[in-house]
Amino acid sequence: MNSFDLKIITPEKLFYEGKAELVTLKTAAGDIGIMANHLPYVANIVSSPLKIKQEGNERTAAVSSGLIRVAANTVTIVTQAVEWAEDIDVARAQKAKELAERKIREHESQKEFERAEQRLRRAMNRLVVASKK
């Protein structure tokens, strides 16, 4: 299978840089898969599992909101946060989920509700990804 260059960047660090044969994740418009020689593409990504296939092996990470750009056989993902499935602290993610659920119930403004909803989506994604390691 042909490969392409993949770079995953967060505000804090370069999370991943290397070759990949397939990347799958969710955009605002739905699930996508990117393979070598994909047409140029830009989309907003949402909190979801990110799967990277390289040399027949697949690795999964939890990715939060951000942007994906495909150009010249290079995929760049810029995201607020990303972590490998095996690095997820399940107890911490469960606490974040419970706190977000409480904030949703007790919100005093639309902005508080939206922030809590984003936190809940991220915590749920982390729990789903961690359960599939």
Side-chain angles (χ1 to χ4, degrees), residues 47-66:
S47 186
S48 64
L50 165 70
K51 294 183 181 181
I52 302 169
K53 185 175 180 182
Q54 54 190 190
E55 297 180 4
N57 297 316
E58 187 173 88
R59 202 145 179 221
T60 304
V63 66
S64 68
S65 62

Side-chain angles (χ1 to χ4, degrees), residues 2-88:
N2 293 333
S3 65
F4 56 89
D5 294 320
L6 173 64
K7 189 182 288 189
I8 304 171
I9 305 165
T10 71
E12 290 83 31
K13 64 183 176 183
L14 175 62
F15 176 77
Y16 179 88
E17 185 171 26
K19 295 287 187 184
E21 297 166 352
L22 174 66
V23 171
T24 59
L25 67 143
K26 184 178 265 185
T27 70
D31 293 336
I32 62 162
I34 305 292
M35 297 176 73
N37 304 309
H38 194 284
L39 291 173
Y41 179 77
V42 175
N44 290 322
I45 59 173
V46 297
S47 186
S48 64
L50 165 70
K51 294 183 181 181
I52 302 169
K53 185 175 180 182
Q54 54 190 190
E55 297 180 4
N57 297 316
E58 187 173 88
R59 202 145 179 221
T60 304
V63 66
S64 68
S65 62
L67 182 76
I68 183 169
R69 177 180 178 261
V70 181
N73 216 31
T74 299
V75 175
T76 304
I77 298 172
V78 180
T79 181
Q80 286 295 327
V82 60
E83 59 190 314
W84 296 116
E86 61 271 15
D87 296 337
I88 295 172

